[in-house]
Amino acid sequence: MGDGGVFWVCRTCGVEHAERVEVCAICADERQWVPASGQAWATLDELAAEGVHVTTHELEPGLLALEAPGVGIEQQAKLLTTEQGTLLWDPLGFVDDAGLAAVVDAAGSSRTLVVAASHPHMFGVQVEWSRRASAALGRDVPVLVSAPDAGWVARSDDAIRPWTGELEVLPGVVLSQPGGHFPGSAVAHWAGGADGRGVLLSGDTIFANPDRTSVSFMRSYPNRIPLSGQVALRVAQHVARRPFDRLYNNFAGVIPSDARAVVGRSAERHAAWTRGDHDDLT
C-alpha cells in the first residue's frame, strides 16, 4: 500500500522516505555520509520554493539527461526511449511539471514506461515519479528494484516490483545485476544505442573517469572505499557479455567509444594495483 502522498526527501542523498526518521539509513551507511550539521529533510514544495527545477538535454538520439541541481547527490537521470517504450533510469530526487512532461511525452499514449535505479543511492523519488506518470498516462508505471537491495526502500508502494538476475524491460533494453557497489547494483544495456553499437548505462557500478579513457570500481566514492580486484574483474566480465561502444555513468561522465574494452582494461589495472603489482611505484 502507499502512504497517501505524504513523504520527505533526504537533503543529502535525495531519496524519498515515508517517515522523517532520526537519520537516513542510506546516508548512515559507510558508502554515504551524514552532514556534520545533522540530518535534514525537505518536501518537494520546499525544494521548488528554493528554485529547484528539472532540466533536460539530449545525450544522443533516444537518450535524454534529466538534472535537478541542488537536490541530494545531484545525479543525472537518463530517459531512454525506443519505439517500444521508455525507461527512466536513476530517477532524480525531485520531480516537477517540466520533468514529468518530458517523461510523459517520451512514453506517449501507448508505449511502456518503466522506472528503475542502478542502486539505492539513485532511488531518488522513484515512487513519486511513478505515481505522477501513472496519473498522467492513465496506466500503471512500475518501479523496478533490485531484490538484493529492496531493504533500502524507505517509501513502499504497490508499484514497486523486485527483480533479480536479468530482465528485458523493453525489446533491446536489458537490466542485469553485476553487483559490486551494492549486492544488487545494476546496469542497463541498450543494444540500439550509439548508432547500433550498443550503450551501457552503468550508474556508478562502473564509473566513467574524467579522462574519458578509464573507469573505476568502488564500494564508496565519497569515502574512497575500493572494491577488490577480483570483484572489479567480475563486474567487467559480466558486462562484457554484450557489445557496447559507449558508457554513461550516473552523472555527466561518459566513455564515448570503445567502452567495453575500456572497462576490461580498467578492471585489469584495478586488479593489478590491489594485488601490489606496482608497489615499486609508491
Side-chain angles (χ1 to χ4, degrees):
M1 296 297 291
D3 52 28
V6 179
F7 69 99
W8 290 265
V9 180
C10 173
R11 283 188 176 268
T12 304
C13 70
V15 172
E16 62 190 354
H17 286 62
E19 299 178 5
R20 288 181 56 154
V21 293
E22 183 176 352
V23 64
C24 167
I26 289 175
C27 291
D29 178 70
E30 69 176 0
R31 284 161 287 205
Q32 246 302 96
W33 54 281
V34 177
S37 56
Q39 178 66 45
W41 300 100
T43 64
L44 291 186
D45 287 345
E46 288 171 341
L47 292 171
E50 294 166 10
V52 174
H53 61 281
V54 177
T55 63
T56 65
H57 65 272
E58 185 180 68
L59 297 172
E60 63 176 80
L63 189 64
L64 293 180
L66 279 66
E67 298 176 337
V71 179
I73 300 173
E74 297 188 322
Q75 70 255 38
Q76 183 185 86
K78 306 296 192 293
L79 189 64
L80 190 169
T81 300
T82 72
E83 292 183 358
Q84 290 76 30
T86 297
L87 169 66
L88 176 60
W89 179 250
D90 286 343
L92 302 175
F94 179 79
V95 56
D96 60 11
D97 290 345
L100 181 64
V103 172
V104 170
D105 288 348
S109 61
S110 60
R111 290 191 294 269
T112 299
L113 174 60
V114 176
V115 178
S118 57
H119 66 288
H121 294 156
M122 298 294 107
F123 283 169
V125 294
Q126 58 185 2
V127 167
E128 193 64 17
W129 279 102
S130 168
R131 288 188 181 185
R132 294 193 183 195
S134 295
L137 292 167
R139 60 180 187 271
D140 293 340
V141 175
V143 176
L144 304 180
V145 174
S146 292
D149 299 333
W152 293 100
V153 173
R155 186 189 183 197
S156 62
D157 193 83
D158 291 342
I160 293 176
R161 316 278 173 80
W163 69 282
T164 190
E166 190 168 285
L167 183 65
E168 187 172 34
V169 292
L170 303 168
V173 180
V174 177
L175 308 187
S176 64
Q177 298 170 337
H181 186 48
F182 276 78
S185 280
V187 296
H189 181 268
W190 174 27
D195 295 320
R197 299 186 303 276
V199 160
L200 191 72
L201 304 181
S202 66
D204 55 16
T205 301
I206 304 169
F207 196 80
N209 290 332
D211 63 10
R212 298 165 67 87
T213 61
S214 68
V215 299
S216 297
F217 309 86
M218 299 286 283
R219 175 170 174 80
S220 171
Y221 290 89
N223 297 325
R224 308 296 192 269
I225 306 173
L227 294 170
S228 72
Q230 185 176 19
V231 170
L233 291 170
R234 184 195 78 201
V235 170
Q237 290 163 4
H238 175 102
V239 300
R241 298 176 303 168
R242 291 184 171 86
F244 60 95
D245 189 53
R246 189 170 298 146
L247 178 149
Y248 297 94
N249 68 13
N250 52 337
F251 293 90
V254 60
I255 306 298
S257 62
D258 202 29
R260 184 165 67 164
V262 166
V263 171
R265 289 195 301 268
S266 298
E268 293 287 353
R269 181 179 71 173
H270 183 111
W273 276 96
T274 58
R275 281 194 307 264
D277 291 5
H278 306 303
D279 283 358
D280 60 305
L281 300 177
T282 64

